[in-house]
Amino acid sequence: MSADNTPIEDDLPEQLRIRREKRAGLIERGIEPYPVSVARTKSLKEIREKYTSLDIDVATGDIESLTGRIIFKRDTGKLCFATLREGDGTELQAMFSLDKIGEEQLDSWKSDIDLGDIVSVTGEIISSKRGELSVLANSWSLAAKSLRPLPNEHKPMSEETRVRMRYVDLIVRPEARTYARLRPTVLRSLRETFHNQDFIEVETPMLQVMHGGAAARPFKSFSNAYDMDLYLRIAPELFLKRCVVGGIERVFEINRNFRNEGADSSHSPEFAMIESYQAYGDWRTIADLTRTLIQNAAMAISGSHVVTHHDGRQANLGGQWKEISLYEAISQGVGEGVTALTPIEELKKHATKLGIKIDPKWVTGKLAEEIFEHVAKDQLIEPTFVMGFPVDTSPLVRAHRELPGVAEKWDLYVDGFELATGYSELVDPVIQRDRLVEQAQLGAKGDLEAMQVDEDFLRAMEFAMPPTGGMGMGLDRLLMALTGLGIRETILFPLVKPEE
């Protein structure tokens, strides 16, 4: 009750108030609106699969109890119709006739049941006079009363509403149900590909005493039990490399990462990451593995390396993929030769001409990467490996065997966004310490994305890590590449601000 003794229900919109009144009326008559169980002998999908070729107006004699949510309801005098839908989207018509269920049950169906309610219907499986596969009810019961009406199907929900109310989106929109089931199919394919190449799946800590493995701003927390700061992980890299040191020579993890950064059509603060390491491999072998993972995932969901996006556009992920040099792409974009040894002052001139706002904390390699993204990224629609990144932005990567100032690192671009990154891993613990010390110095100057010196990681490296190739790929971004959707549509429940 509110302060003026007016029941809260009185303030509800009419549709919600009426449904609550129906719930109360059911309880008064001794009918449970949320029973602990209801009759169900088969799913609607099983019925559809069993009776695929019934002739028109046939009674099978088979009695089944079926359940579903009511998404259509037409009440006439002595015969009522409803469409039941179950979670995977399978639908079936239910018919309620006066001579089969009696006047009391028919009146109750008309007055107590609304669109969105979940019911159990027991009756004979038939085909109607129009050839519609149906269940002709002998009895029915309420499985769960919906206190809120479903959205009007003629007025689609906005993207913001779909994200906030994914549970409703899954009920009313076939695409939402499809994409929710796509993710586990892709995950199963990824794990099968790893398994077939003798990789071992592990789980590494999400709460870490220091953040590392990527250049990103972390979420910070505090442990009361240990009386110390902890960080939600930004990447599993340093722990997976410990696994390689310990002899798990082909290792992968699929799990959540958290980065306290911006959110847009391709970035989410919480996201799923696939990361893997292959001893005795390098950036080339790990590129082959990445291509195989993606192509097998495409095959799993579409039966082809050509995938069809939500807007009907087709993307060909098959064959060998194009490679370009990062510095050659920059050179073409600015109309002048640029290498890893080009001084930062010269890069600043190019950036200024391009209208790039320069952060004074950027090192030379970071500025080069920003110029690349400005001049080339949006043109990389077909799968493209961008090869050879600056050493000073790649503290965990081995230096290129031939090109000074370049690291053996690639980024994979698809549809204009970065999908994955791969390295020849830096395994020299002395050089690795120097790189992390440099990172710590950047952090001391205010770089919130700089890594820290992880002494335990360095100690592990000092036990000798074999030559290794490593790869990280966003799972949500992989789904973007396979479907053409934005990242919020590939995550079932993305982070959103509370409603005001």
Side-chain angles (χ1 to χ4, degrees), residues 292-339:
T292 300
L293 286 164
I294 294 168
Q295 290 177 344
N296 287 354
M299 189 67 71
I301 65 166
S302 65
S304 167
H305 290 158
V306 178
V307 294
T308 302
H309 288 181
H310 72 100
D311 58 1
R313 183 176 76 86
Q314 290 193 322
N316 187 353
L317 302 176
Q320 295 297 308
W321 292 345
K322 183 173 147 187
E323 291 184 5
I324 64 170
S325 157
L326 175 94
Y327 283 102
E328 287 178 8
I330 294 173
S331 299
Q332 290 178 10
V334 302
E336 191 175 315
V338 174
T339 72

Side-chain angles (χ1 to χ4, degrees), residues 376-410:
K377 183 181 76 166
D378 293 342
Q379 302 167 26
L380 303 178
I381 304 303
E382 65 176 292
T384 304
F385 288 109
V386 180
M387 311 294 289
F389 276 69
V391 163
D392 57 1
T393 59
S394 311
L396 301 169
V397 187
R398 184 188 290 271
H400 197 284
R401 281 163 266 197
E402 298 171 2
L403 302 175
V406 175
E408 291 196 352
K409 169 188 171 180
W410 52 256

Side-chain angles (χ1 to χ4, degrees), residues 444-491:
K445 293 176 183 176
D447 187 342
L448 297 173
E449 295 185 351
M451 298 182 206
Q452 300 167 299
V453 179
D454 187 332
E455 290 292 349
D456 182 69
F457 169 65
L458 290 169
R459 178 171 60 188
M461 297 286 289
E462 289 167 357
F463 280 93
M465 178 175 168
T468 298
M471 177 275 287
M473 175 165 56
L475 174 61
D476 312 309
R477 290 192 174 192
L478 173 56
L479 289 163
M480 289 168 59
L482 295 171
T483 64
L485 295 167
I487 199 166
R488 293 209 309 175
E489 292 287 356
T490 68
I491 299 173

Side-chain angles (χ1 to χ4, degrees), residues 57-86:
D57 197 17
V58 170
T60 67
D62 299 334
I63 304 298
E64 302 286 358
S65 295
L66 309 176
T67 57
R69 187 184 295 273
I70 300 167
I71 51 104
F72 170 80
K73 186 170 184 273
R74 179 160 61 91
D75 296 335
T76 56
K78 297 181 180 179
L79 184 63
C80 299
F81 297 87
T83 301
L84 308 181
R85 178 188 291 162
E86 60 189 2

Side-chain angles (χ1 to χ4, degrees), residues 119-291:
V119 297
S120 167
V121 180
T122 298
E124 184 180 7
I125 306 301
I126 67 166
S127 64
S128 70
K129 291 179 180 179
R130 294 187 175 183
E132 181 73 27
L133 186 63
S134 307
V135 55
L136 179 60
N138 296 325
S139 63
W140 65 270
S141 62
L142 182 62
K145 181 70 184 169
S146 177
L147 298 184
R148 289 179 178 270
L150 294 175
N152 186 330
E153 64 180 30
H154 300 297
K155 187 180 178 184
M157 294 189 296
S158 67
E159 182 189 348
E160 186 67 23
T161 304
R162 294 202 307 265
V163 168
R164 288 189 179 279
M165 301 171 61
R166 186 71 81 199
Y167 38 90
V168 178
D169 190 27
L170 289 166
I171 293 170
V172 301
R173 201 165 61 97
E175 295 85 355
R177 296 191 290 273
T178 297
Y179 297 136
R181 287 161 173 78
L182 200 68
R183 192 182 189 96
T185 301
V186 170
L187 280 166
R188 189 161 52 248
S189 170
L190 292 168
R191 288 190 164 98
E192 285 175 359
T193 301
F194 278 124
H195 176 74
N196 290 338
Q197 298 201 25
D198 297 325
F199 280 77
I200 294 174
E201 183 171 10
V202 299
E203 292 180 344
T204 62
M206 288 193 181
L207 279 176
Q208 302 182 350
V209 296
M210 63 175 57
H211 59 91
R217 188 173 180 175
F219 286 95
K220 188 175 181 180
S221 187
F222 184 81
S223 168
N224 294 328
Y226 289 96
D227 190 28
M228 65 180 185
D229 290 333
L230 290 172
Y231 300 90
L232 287 176
R233 76 167 180 204
I234 57 175
E237 176 165 348
L238 303 188
F239 281 96
L240 292 176
K241 286 182 172 178
R242 288 171 169 94
C243 291
V244 177
V245 170
I248 306 177
E249 294 180 345
R250 294 187 171 211
V251 65
F252 78 97
E253 181 171 10
I254 303 175
N255 223 319
R256 317 297 277 189
N257 289 344
F258 306 85
R259 297 183 183 178
N260 198 358
E261 300 173 338
D264 56 31
S265 62
S266 61
H267 293 84
S268 175
E270 177 186 1
F271 61 98
M273 176 73 102
I274 309 144
E275 197 151 322
S276 67
Y277 293 86
Q278 181 182 20
Y280 308 105
D282 63 8
W283 65 332
R284 291 285 180 184
T285 61
I286 211 73
D288 291 340
L289 172 65
T290 304
R291 185 175 56 249

